[in-house]
Amino acid sequence: MNSHEIVVRQLEIEDIPGIIEIEKACFPTPWTHHAFRAEMRNKLAVYQVVETEGKIAAYGGMWLIMEEAHITNVAVHPSFRRRGLGRKVMEALVAEAKKKFSQRMTLEVRKSNTIALELYKSMDFVISGIRPGYYHDNGEDAIIMWKELTIADFLL
Ligand SMILES: CC(C)(COP(=O)(O)OP(=O)(O)OC[C@H]1O[C@@H](n2cnc3c(N)ncnc32)[C@H](O)[C@@H]1OP(=O)(O)O)[C@@H](O)C(=O)NCCC(=O)NCCS
């Protein structure tokens, strides 16, 4: 692989240390190695990573529950932001959800996370509600968003 090539692919066990590095850089309560190993055994879980310049630069995951895709995490390492990788991860999750015939997708995002909110809105996720005080670390509200996967999505 050319070092500047961008590859989007399924999570593999060797990727976990790179993902933990991203978690630690992005979130106040990062998921552990153990949590990701458990996710790899979880038959409902789908995780995608973005690899470039010899590094895991971004990743995202979701659980496919009946006809719904519940996004669990999306994160881009701070040194790889604003290069379209967050969008690539989201597009990969949408594509996987469509392959598994999900009808809709959902996620929660901190009210203050305007960057992520802009990304999700630009991909037709719509705000449907608020979970007050959802985040334990600072009591922040979560915004709940949904995206319907229409017939047109399946034709793309
Ligand atoms: C949110 C996040 C995933 C975006 O990743 P990214 O790779 O930097 O985003 P992209 O370059 O793909 O940009 C996608 C869109 O996000 C928005 N965006 C990204 N960076 C932005 C910034 N600094 N200011 C405003 N909007 C921004 C824009 O809408 C952008 O679309 P555009 O390029 O057409 O303007 C990244 O900032 C991140 O990992 N944040 C920390 C973890 C996190 O908050 N995850 C989401 C939890 S719900």
Side-chain angles (χ1 to χ4, degrees), residues 22 25-27 58 72-78 80-88 107-110 113-120 122 135:
I22 299 176
C26 292
F27 300 116
T72 52
N73 359 28
V74 175
V76 177
H77 191 282
F80 288 93
R81 290 201 187 141
R82 287 250 78 170
R83 300 197 206 170
L85 301 188
R87 190 179 296 284
K88 271 201 194 308
L107 55 81
E108 279 123 13
V109 53
R110 284 176 195 260
N113 194 348
T114 47
I115 294 179
L117 273 162
E118 282 313 307
L119 168 61
Y120 303 143
S122 75
Y135 294 99

Side-chain angles (χ1 to χ4, degrees), residues 90 94 98 103-107 120 123-126 145-149 153:
M90 286 299 294
V94 171
K98 283 190 219 166
Q103 290 176 15
R104 57 195 73 86
M105 304 182 73
T106 186
L107 55 81
Y120 303 143
M123 296 187 67
D124 299 325
F125 280 80
V126 174
M145 301 182 93
W146 284 88
K147 170 183 171 70
E148 295 293 324
L149 297 175
D153 286 306

Side-chain angles (χ1 to χ4, degrees), residues 2-146:
N2 162 330
S3 75
H4 288 280
E5 199 182 331
I6 296 171
V7 173
V8 185
R9 59 167 174 77
Q10 200 176 312
L11 170 69
E12 288 166 14
I13 204 131
E14 305 75 49
D15 302 327
I16 294 179
I19 289 201
I20 302 280
E21 219 178 286
I22 299 176
E23 278 281 306
K24 285 187 181 156
C26 292
F27 300 116
T29 46
W31 282 21
T32 59
H33 198 280
H34 179 76
F36 283 106
R37 284 187 79 107
E39 281 298 79
M40 291 197 76
R41 290 191 298 272
N42 177 355
K43 293 209 174 0
L44 300 177
V46 174
Y47 279 82
Q48 295 282 305
V49 299
V50 178
E51 189 178 7
T52 189
E53 298 172 26
K55 291 206 167 114
I56 301 300
Y59 83 96
M62 63 187 169
W63 286 11
L64 300 177
I65 303 168
M66 308 292 279
E67 72 282 5
E68 293 176 352
H70 291 245
I71 294 181
T72 52
N73 359 28
V74 175
V76 177
H77 191 282
S79 34
F80 288 93
R81 290 201 187 141
R82 287 250 78 170
R83 300 197 206 170
L85 301 188
R87 190 179 296 284
K88 271 201 194 308
V89 169
M90 286 299 294
E91 285 170 353
L93 294 180
V94 171
E96 289 299 309
K98 283 190 219 166
K99 266 195 224 162
K100 301 283 166 37
F101 301 104
S102 299
Q103 290 176 15
R104 57 195 73 86
M105 304 182 73
T106 186
L107 55 81
E108 279 123 13
V109 53
R110 284 176 195 260
K111 199 171 159 184
S112 64
N113 194 348
T114 47
I115 294 179
L117 273 162
E118 282 313 307
L119 168 61
Y120 303 143
K121 280 186 200 159
S122 75
M123 296 187 67
D124 299 325
F125 280 80
V126 174
I127 295 175
S128 74
I130 289 181
R131 284 193 220 287
Y134 180 75
Y135 294 99
H136 295 302
D137 58 333
N138 64 353
E140 189 171 354
D141 297 347
I143 306 278
I144 305 163
M145 301 182 93
W146 284 88

